[in-house]
């Protein structure tokens, strides 16, 4: 075993003196990690051998000899045996609460290397799925990750699941139903699709099962919403298992961007149950996403009256479950969906989009709530900034602060131009750019529509950093891309998609150290926690991941294979495997019994 108590440690190594380490004093550590390569991201001392954590915060860093003085009778001592340790990863934009709510019901193709295996998983799960339930593959994959480098056909889906309803979501660009799914939903060639969407028909006028989100994803939200839900108890257990899978990959913090069809607070019960019980294994910062199209202002008015920002709602975990502001949608009419299989949407063609957005923006500013907004395209970003500037002017004329002191951000921004990024600096104290690895999953489709040159700067990391913008890294999981942060770091550093297609130019690729910084400290800016989260220095939050491979020194292709061997959130072990097996608390069995997670788990390897 690679963890020992103090007495065993002293017998094996001798008592070592505390000699000038960075420390909060001689108080006893709850956990001490010794003998590793600890990447602190503190420029004063970027790499050390050891780290000690007490009451959720870093107590000491330094050499083994320096940190040993914090070890007491109850300290859990972990031998790292030369392994790489990093600050816990922080996803700047994903949908974890919604992901946890559905995790137990979903079959994940994330990481599956061949379509043959993906279809075999469907066939196995179809045999396990009871009457009245569905097989669901809800995003997180790209056809280019498969050896076959293509989508499944309707015929293949029908063969894999001939009798059980099946729905496969591909990004927010489309979906596929098998014949049993068509029948279960009662669809016919005469069924009317939501505006801006369609049901594909073959040459003979029959439904193929393909759902066309061109350009709007409403048909996809509608289909997902029609599937049988898990019970409240099942959602709570599902959430535990999903968060454990995030911990498996080294994530200790996430920023929750809400999501369509996901109502606050009623659909957040699974995470709230963990928070109330003091059992949060991951820190969740929530931005609230209105659901009533055209009535967004009323939802925000109710939220600002009932909730405060930056107030921790979790027991036993500082910065554990917190409302941080409004977004990623502020007004549905201002959303430019990232369907790279369709033409770029022009938000200015939608009646009232600017009026709705300015009302919500002014309300949030008046209540001093931070805000962030979905914007894929450069054109949309500039239209939205026109509204922000007007809202700022009107608020200041009313005697209020406007954007002064308010943190705001664009989510996505794949086609932002240098002039647009510079303009972001002029509104209030400047906005941030929350970037995600969506191009790692949809980059080939982007190239086909917009060309290789545009893909080389999508997103323009180099321009954004040169402009002095705060930049965070994340995934936009679980429906658009996978929640695996190592795919994000692979894409950001090599410029390649999960299918290996070259995308980002050298100008916009990141060094490994910089990418890690953006996936930790950079992301923390967006929840106003950069002063206390993301660096392993004394007084910062004690969140670490012990890696299976040395991210800073391994081969490029190995980055995607990295997992955490030991994940610690606030000084508590939340995931452990291999040499640290048995250190993490056990989870209750996944429910329902037919859950795909019971057989396949979450993120796949091969």
């Amino acid at each position: 075993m690679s963890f020992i108590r103090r007495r065993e440690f002293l017998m094996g190594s001798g008592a070592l003196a505390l000699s000038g380490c960075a420390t909060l004093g001689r108080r006893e550590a709850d956990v001490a990690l010794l003998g590793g390569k600890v990447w602190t991201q503190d420029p004063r001392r970027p790499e050390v051998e050891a780290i000690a954590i007490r009451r959720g915060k870093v107590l000491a860093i330094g050499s083994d000899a320096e940190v040993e003085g914090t070890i007491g009778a109850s300290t859990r001592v972990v031998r790292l045996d030369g392994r790489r340790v990093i600050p816990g990863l922080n996803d700047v934009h994903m949908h974890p609460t919604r992901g946890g709510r559905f995790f137990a019901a979903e079959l994940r193709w994330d990481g599956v290397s061949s379509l043959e295996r993906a279809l075999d998983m469907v066939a196995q799960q179809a045999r396990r799925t009871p009457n009245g339930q569905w097989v669901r593959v809800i995003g997180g994959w790209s056809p280019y990750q498969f050896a076959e480098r293509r989508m499944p056909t309707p015929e293949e889906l029908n063969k894999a699941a001939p009798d059980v309803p099946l729905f496969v979501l591909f990004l927010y660009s489309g979906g596929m139903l098998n014949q049993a799914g068509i029948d279960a939903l009662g669809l016919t060639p005469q069924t009317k699709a939501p505006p801006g969407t369609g049901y594909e028909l073959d040459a003979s006028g029959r439904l193929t099962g393909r759902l066309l989100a061109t350009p709007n994803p409403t048909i996809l939200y509608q289909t997902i919403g029609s599937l049988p839900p898990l019970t409240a108890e099942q959602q709570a257990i599902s959430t535990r298992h999903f968060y454990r899978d995030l911990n498996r990959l080294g994530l200790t913090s996430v920023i929750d961007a809400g999501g369509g069809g996901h109502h606050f607070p009623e659909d957040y019960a699974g995470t709230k149950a963990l928070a109330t019980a003091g059992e949060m294994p991951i820190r969740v910062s929530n931005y609230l996403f209105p659901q009533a199209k055209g009535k967004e202002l009323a939802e925000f008015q109710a939220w600002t009256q009932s909730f405060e920002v930056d107030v921790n709602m979790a027991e036993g975990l500082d910065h554990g479950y917190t409302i941080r502001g409004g977004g990623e949608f502020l007004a549905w009419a201002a959303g430019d969906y990232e369907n790279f299989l369709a033409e770029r949407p022009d938000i200015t063609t939608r009646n009232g989009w600017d009026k709705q957005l300015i009302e919500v923006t002014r309300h949030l500013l008046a209540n001093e709530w931070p805000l962030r907004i979905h914007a894929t395209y450069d054109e949309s970003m500039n239209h939205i900034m026109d509204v922000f500037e007007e809202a700022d002017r009107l608020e200041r004329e009313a005697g209020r602060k406007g954007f002064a002191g308010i943190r705001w951000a664009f989510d996505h921004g794949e086609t932002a131009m240098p002039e647009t990024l510079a303009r972001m600096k002029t509104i209030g104290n400047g906005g941030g750019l929350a970037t995600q690895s969506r191009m790692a999953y949809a980059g080939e489709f982007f190239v086909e529509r917009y060309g290789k040159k545009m893909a080389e700067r999508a997103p323009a990391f180099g321009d954004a950093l040169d402009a002095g913008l705060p930049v965070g890294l994340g995934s936009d999981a679980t429906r658009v891309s996978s929640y695996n942060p190592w795919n994000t770091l692979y894409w950001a550093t090599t410029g390649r998609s999960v299918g290996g297609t070259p995308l980002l130019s050298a100008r916009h690729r990141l060094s490994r150290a910089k990418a890690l910084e953006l996936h930790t400290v950079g992301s923390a800016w967006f929840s106003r926690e950069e002063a206390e989260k993301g660096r392993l220095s004394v007084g910062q939050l004690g969140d670490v991941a012990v890696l299976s491979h040395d991210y800073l020194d391994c081969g490029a292709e190995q980055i995607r294979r990295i997992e955490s061997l030991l994940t610690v959130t606030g000084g508590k072990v939340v995931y452990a495997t291999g040499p640290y097996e048995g250190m993490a608390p056990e989870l209750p069995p996944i429910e329902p019994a037919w859950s795909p997670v019971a057989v396949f788990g979450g993120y796949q390897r091969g």
Side-chain angles (χ1 to χ4, degrees), residues 220-272:
L220 307 176
Y221 286 132
Q222 177 179 288
T223 303
I224 294 170
S226 68
L227 305 181
L230 296 174
T231 67
E233 182 179 358
Q234 289 168 345
Q235 288 181 38
I237 295 174
S238 173
T239 298
R240 286 177 180 269
H241 281 263
F242 180 58
Y243 288 171
R244 177 64 62 90
D245 218 41
L246 298 184
N247 295 150
R248 171 170 74 108
L249 298 165
L251 284 158
T252 57
S253 290
V254 288
I255 298 180
D256 191 324
H262 186 58
H263 298 258
F264 182 84
E266 53 266 39
D267 290 335
Y268 288 62
T271 296
K272 185 179 180 181

Side-chain angles (χ1 to χ4, degrees), residues 26-309:
R26 292 179 178 269
R27 289 172 292 173
E28 181 177 312
D30 297 320
V31 60
L33 290 79
L34 305 174
K37 295 180 289 185
V38 181
W39 187 251
T40 69
Q41 298 194 138
D42 184 339
R44 297 167 298 181
R45 202 170 187 182
E47 185 168 292
V48 296
E49 276 187 303
I51 181 172
I53 300 168
R54 172 183 167 83
R55 294 184 178 177
K57 295 186 178 181
V58 176
L59 173 65
I61 60 169
S63 66
D64 285 354
E66 290 172 326
V67 170
E68 192 277 334
T70 69
I71 297 173
S74 62
T75 302
R76 171 175 270 172
V77 180
V78 179
R79 288 194 178 279
L80 296 170
D81 298 325
R83 296 184 178 92
R84 172 65 66 193
V85 178
I86 62 169
L89 295 172
N90 184 356
D91 193 309
V92 75
H93 175 126
M94 69 181 301
H95 303 272
T97 309
R98 186 179 68 186
R101 176 180 157 207
F102 291 107
F103 183 63
E106 295 176 353
L107 177 68
R108 305 301 306 180
W109 280 357
D110 307 41
V112 176
S113 59
S114 75
L115 179 58
E116 179 182 16
R117 179 165 181 261
L119 291 169
D120 181 63
M121 292 168 69
V122 169
Q124 290 185 54
Q125 183 57 32
R127 291 191 288 269
R128 302 179 62 250
T129 301
N131 290 336
Q133 285 293 344
W134 287 61
V135 178
R136 327 167 192 211
V137 179
I138 310 294
W141 59 279
S142 164
Y144 290 94
Q145 77 191 39
F146 298 144
E148 299 87 344
R149 299 182 72 81
R150 66 173 178 84
M151 303 280 281
T153 66
E155 293 76 20
E156 287 172 324
L157 297 181
N158 284 323
K159 181 178 179 181
D163 304 311
V164 177
L166 166 67
F167 176 56
V168 176
L169 176 72
F170 172 59
L171 307 174
Y172 273 133
S173 299
M176 292 168 279
L177 296 166
N178 66 348
Q179 186 60 50
I182 293 172
D183 295 341
L185 294 177
L187 301 178
T188 72
Q190 290 73 43
T191 301
K192 187 176 180 180
T197 69
Y199 297 106
E200 184 184 70
L201 303 177
D202 64 18
S204 62
R206 297 183 58 189
L207 291 167
T208 66
R210 290 193 176 96
L211 310 182
L212 308 176
T214 48
N216 297 331
T218 308
I219 194 171
L220 307 176
Y221 286 132
Q222 177 179 288
T223 303
I224 294 170
S226 68
L227 305 181
L230 296 174
T231 67
E233 182 179 358
Q234 289 168 345
Q235 288 181 38
I237 295 174
S238 173
T239 298
R240 286 177 180 269
H241 281 263
F242 180 58
Y243 288 171
R244 177 64 62 90
D245 218 41
L246 298 184
N247 295 150
R248 171 170 74 108
L249 298 165
L251 284 158
T252 57
S253 290
V254 288
I255 298 180
D256 191 324
H262 186 58
H263 298 258
F264 182 84
E266 53 266 39
D267 290 335
Y268 288 62
T271 296
K272 185 179 180 181
L274 279 176
T276 302
E279 297 176 355
M280 287 287 286
I282 196 163
R283 306 180 194 275
V284 180
S285 293
N286 294 280
Y287 278 77
L288 303 187
F289 186 128
Q291 302 300 316
K293 296 179 182 180
K295 300 179 181 179
E296 296 91 341
L297 178 60
E299 288 191 70
F300 279 117
Q301 287 171 334
W303 287 332
T304 55
Q305 289 173 8
S306 301
F307 301 98
E308 295 182 61
V309 293

Side-chain angles (χ1 to χ4, degrees), residues 377-382 385 408 410 415-425 469:
Y377 300 99
D378 183 79
E379 295 85 349
S380 303
M381 295 170 72
N382 280 284
M385 282 193 284
W408 68 274
F410 280 121
T415 72
M417 301 303 289
E419 300 79 9
T420 302
L421 297 169
R423 185 182 178 188
M424 289 174 63
K425 294 281 289 183
L469 294 178

Side-chain angles (χ1 to χ4, degrees), residues 92-95 172 257 289 328-329 335-338 340 372-378 381 409-416 421 424 432-439 457-461 464 471-472 474-477 480-481 491 526:
V92 75
H93 175 126
M94 69 181 301
H95 303 272
Y172 273 133
F289 186 128
E328 74 182 279
F329 270 32
D336 66 342
Y337 304 105
E338 70 288 349
F340 300 140
R372 57 197 295 169
I373 188 166
H374 171 115
T376 301
Y377 300 99
D378 183 79
M381 295 170 72
F410 280 121
D411 284 296
H412 315 313
E414 279 86 354
T415 72
L421 297 169
M424 289 174 63
L433 185 65
T435 57
Q436 298 83 44
S437 52
R438 304 190 309 176
M439 288 289 288
R457 59 179 322 280
F461 286 118
V471 178
S475 64
D476 202 10
V480 171
S481 53
W491 159 76
F526 295 80

